[in-house]
Amino acid sequence: MKVWFLMGWMLLTTVAMAASSDSLLIRLNKTIDRKEEYTKTKLNHLEDLHQQLNRTPARDDESRFHLLQEISEEYKAFIYDSAFVNIQKLQRLAYKMNDPVRISYARVKLGFILLSSGMFKETIDTLSRMRVQGLPDSIRVDYYAILARTYYDLGDFDRDGFYTQRYTALGNKYVDSAKALCRPNDYNFVYLSGLKNLKNENTREALANLNQLLNEYKLTPHQLAVTASTLSYFYISRNEPDQAIHLLAQAAIADIISATKETAAMSSLAEQLYNRGDLMNAYTFIQQAMDDAIFYGARQRKVQVGSILPVIAAAKVHNVDEQRRRWLIYSTALTVLAILVIVFAVVIYKQLEKLKRTEKALLEANTIKEEYIGYYFNINSEYLGKIEAFKKAVEMKLITKKLEDIKFIVNNINVKKEREELYFSFDKVFLKLFPDFITVFNSYFKEEDRIVLKEGQLMNTELRIFALIRMGIHDTEKIAKILDYSINTIYNYKARIKGKSIVPNEKFEQKIMEIQTV
């Protein structure tokens, strides 16, 4: 009798969990609809911080450090390139202030960013040279926790019977060091305990730790996402998909609300739904995961998502084809339902058109990538040749002790000319890919405001700025570096161009992205 009661209770629990998961998936889809709002809020906040930094006097190191600290914190799980650049600035400022604590803080934050991008060796190299004795407990906890996660992730990546055990042992050592500096009831202590127990297959203790955080602690959205994702891996390993889906959906919602782009929850959720046969949600979520991976710029995450996306996409296409075939058969056999069949055929046709547009965009991206790989190698081979010739010339002058001639050789390097040649090469390759770019660009302006190029010019600075945006480079700081201008100058160029356009300011860059390649 007890056995039957237990089996009935387990069945009811599973049904309740599945129903709860379906409700969460509906909520997740609604949250995705508002994803751009959360991202825009984050970008606006970052824009305010950058403006504050630009207004802060260069001599006010203390204020600039705190602003860079906040900017880096906002970028760390948002955009990898920007996070890395700002951490470098933070490090340089810490060295300028000659403050060992701030130097160590910046290095630990750099370790986190490197780990997030899957650069395990670089993370270990960056942190292993640090001396943490005497540093504040908060920095030491982060230091040990990052190293613990690094070795645990290495073990998961290798999945080797010999090396995984060694990496897990190292991860355990660093977790223990971090926990020794935490209060027994704070989030870090309980989470690290759960993580260690999970990695060492202490199932009961791991579940107790992580469920305690989810049920008893008031977590931030990011903490909720991390905790729920970590716990989901236990259920995935136990082949209990309903519980895993429930947790991953919670994590994905929290990631979107906090505008976190460095996340694995959405891709893991898509994979679990694919295994369950929910292809529509799986396809939607894997696309969202790829968008986030591209936005963040983490190579490891793009590779992980890229290995799953084609499988789910192919299954979805097959599923759509099966639906169309079925409805065509029904339309022949059941003429009474002809109108209904037409409605479904239209729906399926729209789905196929959407898929074709996605495939066309991927084909365009591949074309651009292949063209620029060739361009990259060509430019680099030219510069390597110049460097080699320069090296040989200097070595010859050194051998013959003609030191004055070396000065002449160095002064003969025309940096301005080299940069102009670089821009000319970029213009040539870009216009090969987008031959109608200038014509379409000028169509967004009145006749008197259109750009007229000088004789011999392929593009000017204004066109190059929006050419880089069309290539997918939206970061103003990165554009400024490429074109050798200040960030404020780039902002001014963009504002002036948008101000003259007949297209509304908020839609101008969207119109630029619609310009087609060959």
Side-chain angles (χ1 to χ4, degrees):
M1 190 71 177
K2 289 182 179 179
V3 173
W4 285 106
F5 174 79
L6 181 60
M7 291 178 64
W9 180 83
M10 290 175 64
L11 178 62
L12 288 172
T13 301
T14 302
V15 171
M17 182 63 73
S20 178
S21 298
D22 290 341
S23 175
L24 271 174
L25 294 179
I26 294 171
R27 183 181 161 200
L28 174 56
N29 277 298
K30 290 180 179 178
T31 307
I32 288 172
D33 292 338
R34 299 186 59 193
K35 184 177 180 180
E36 291 301 320
E37 295 178 30
Y38 297 118
T39 301
K40 187 176 180 180
T41 300
K42 180 87 146 183
L43 289 169
N44 289 340
H45 179 53
L46 279 163
E47 182 68 24
D48 290 341
L49 290 173
H50 280 297
Q51 290 179 3
Q52 290 180 46
L53 183 64
N54 291 335
R55 291 194 300 266
T56 304
R59 63 181 178 277
D60 189 355
D61 291 341
E62 189 72 28
S63 298
R64 292 183 70 82
F65 188 89
H66 286 301
L67 281 168
L68 279 171
Q69 188 177 9
E70 189 173 353
I71 290 170
S72 301
E73 193 67 21
E74 291 292 325
Y75 272 128
K76 74 177 185 181
F78 190 55
I79 302 175
Y80 168 76
D81 288 341
S82 298
F84 187 83
V85 168
N86 281 281
I87 282 295
Q88 294 295 320
K89 291 179 180 178
L90 193 69
Q91 277 192 313
R92 288 194 293 270
L93 184 54
Y95 277 105
K96 177 187 173 187
M97 297 171 75
N98 196 26
D99 187 331
V101 173
R102 284 189 168 99
I103 292 170
S104 298
Y105 170 85
R107 182 171 290 182
V108 169
K109 293 301 179 183
L110 176 60
F112 178 87
I113 292 168
L114 293 171
L115 175 60
S116 298
S117 67
M119 301 170 71
F120 299 124
K121 180 181 182 301
E122 290 79 1
T123 303
I124 294 170
D125 289 345
T126 297
L127 299 183
S128 61
R129 297 193 301 268
M130 286 183 58
R131 296 182 62 184
V132 295
Q133 290 78 9
L135 292 175
D137 286 353
S138 59
I139 296 178
R140 294 167 68 194
V141 168
D142 283 348
Y143 169 84
Y144 290 126
I146 291 168
L147 280 173
R149 182 185 150 193
T150 300
Y151 284 111
Y152 283 150
D153 287 357
L154 269 172
D156 290 339
F157 180 79
D158 281 2
R159 297 185 183 277
D160 179 83
F162 177 74
Y163 287 105
T164 295
Q165 288 184 356
R166 293 181 59 185
Y167 289 140
T168 300
L170 284 168
N172 293 341
K173 183 185 77 171
Y174 286 115
V175 162
D176 291 340
S177 297
K179 287 173 58 181
L181 299 169
C182 299
R183 292 193 302 273
N185 291 321
D186 73 7
Y187 171 81
N188 283 329
F189 184 91
V190 180
Y191 175 76
L192 290 171
S193 298
L195 181 62
K196 179 183 176 182
N197 284 323
L198 198 60
K199 295 296 182 182
N200 290 273
E201 300 183 0
N202 299 324
T203 302
R204 182 179 300 175
E205 293 84 351
L207 291 176
N209 295 140
L210 297 173
N211 280 313
Q212 179 186 2
L213 290 175
L214 291 174
N215 298 326
E216 300 177 17
Y217 282 63
K218 187 176 182 180
L219 304 178
T220 66
H222 185 62
Q223 288 174 337
L224 172 60
V226 171
T227 305
S229 292
T230 303
L231 184 54
S232 73
Y233 297 140
F234 165 77
Y235 291 111
I236 291 172
S237 67
R238 293 283 298 270
N239 196 26
E240 298 181 28
D242 289 333
Q243 289 88 339
I245 289 169
H246 182 85
L247 289 162
L248 289 168
Q250 284 183 292
I253 291 170
D255 281 329
I256 294 173
I257 291 172
S258 61
T260 297
K261 304 295 184 180
E262 197 292 296
T263 170
M266 191 74 80
S267 60
S268 295
L269 176 60
E271 189 172 4
Q272 292 301 308
L273 291 171
Y274 167 75
N275 292 336
R276 197 172 75 171
D278 187 351
L279 297 180
M280 296 301 292
N281 276 322
Y283 187 69
T284 298
F285 299 155
I286 199 64
Q287 284 186 312
Q288 292 296 319
M290 180 55 83
D291 289 345
D292 287 343
I294 293 171
F295 189 99
Y296 181 70
R299 285 164 285 183
Q300 177 198 27
R301 195 68 69 211
K302 284 190 280 189
V303 170
Q304 289 174 342
V305 178
S307 66
I308 305 169
L309 191 149
V311 176
I312 296 177
K316 181 176 180 292
V317 171
H318 177 72
N319 184 56
V320 171
D321 287 341
E322 281 296 309
Q323 289 180 11
R324 183 171 62 177
R325 185 183 64 82
R326 189 178 300 119
W327 284 111
L328 287 173
I329 293 172
Y330 288 167
S331 67
T332 303
L334 306 170
T335 55
V336 179
L337 299 177
I339 296 175
L340 185 61
V341 171
I342 293 172
V343 171
F344 275 88
V346 169
V347 171
I348 294 170
Y349 175 77
K350 287 182 178 179
Q351 290 176 336
L352 286 171
E353 285 298 306
K354 182 179 178 181
L355 188 59
K356 287 177 182 177
R357 287 195 296 270
T358 302
E359 291 172 348
K360 184 178 179 182
L362 289 172
L363 181 61
E364 176 183 303
N366 285 335
T367 303
I368 294 172
K369 178 178 69 176
E370 290 169 4
E371 188 72 31
Y372 267 86
I373 285 173
Y375 165 68
Y376 171 81
F377 278 107
N378 183 50
I379 288 295
N380 276 277
S381 64
E382 287 181 7
Y383 277 100
L384 284 172
K386 291 179 180 180
I387 290 170
E388 184 177 1
F390 175 78
K391 178 175 176 291
K392 287 180 179 178
V394 171
E395 285 176 347
M396 183 60 68
K397 298 301 179 183
L398 286 172
I399 290 170
T400 58
K401 299 184 178 180
K402 295 181 179 180
L403 302 181
E404 286 298 321
D405 289 353
I406 294 176
K407 182 178 180 182
F408 174 78
I409 292 171
V410 172
N411 291 335
N412 199 39
I413 298 174
N414 190 335
V415 177
K416 182 180 178 182
K417 181 181 177 183
E418 295 290 336
R419 188 178 294 279
E420 288 173 354
E421 289 180 359
L422 179 65
Y423 291 158
F424 182 81
S425 297
F426 168 80
D427 296 347
K428 187 176 180 182
V429 175
F430 180 82
L431 291 175
K432 181 180 176 184
L433 287 167
F434 298 90
D436 299 327
F437 181 80
I438 297 175
T439 302
V440 178
F441 185 89
N442 272 331
S443 71
Y444 300 154
F445 300 88
K446 296 178 181 177
E447 183 72 31
E448 62 272 17
D449 292 325
R450 291 174 181 174
I451 291 176
V452 179
L453 296 171
K454 298 177 182 178
E455 186 176 353
Q457 268 191 323
L458 295 179
M459 290 199 293
N460 60 11
T461 300
E462 289 91 340
L463 288 169
R464 287 192 194 105
I465 289 171
F466 289 96
L468 289 168
I469 290 173
R470 180 58 187 88
M471 294 297 294
I473 303 173
H474 298 277
D475 189 340
T476 302
E477 185 174 356
K478 188 178 291 185
I479 293 173
K481 282 189 176 182
I482 292 171
L483 298 180
D484 196 32
Y485 286 107
S486 69
I487 295 175
N488 285 336
T489 300
I490 298 299
Y491 277 125
N492 290 336
Y493 269 121
K494 290 169 69 175
R496 187 166 67 248
I497 288 293
K498 291 179 181 179
K500 292 180 180 180
S501 174
I502 59 177
V503 177
N505 284 6
E506 66 275 10
K507 294 184 178 180
F508 188 81
E509 291 190 17
Q510 177 185 335
K511 294 291 289 182
I512 292 294
M513 296 304 294
E514 291 173 1
I515 298 176
Q516 296 294 308
T517 185
V518 290

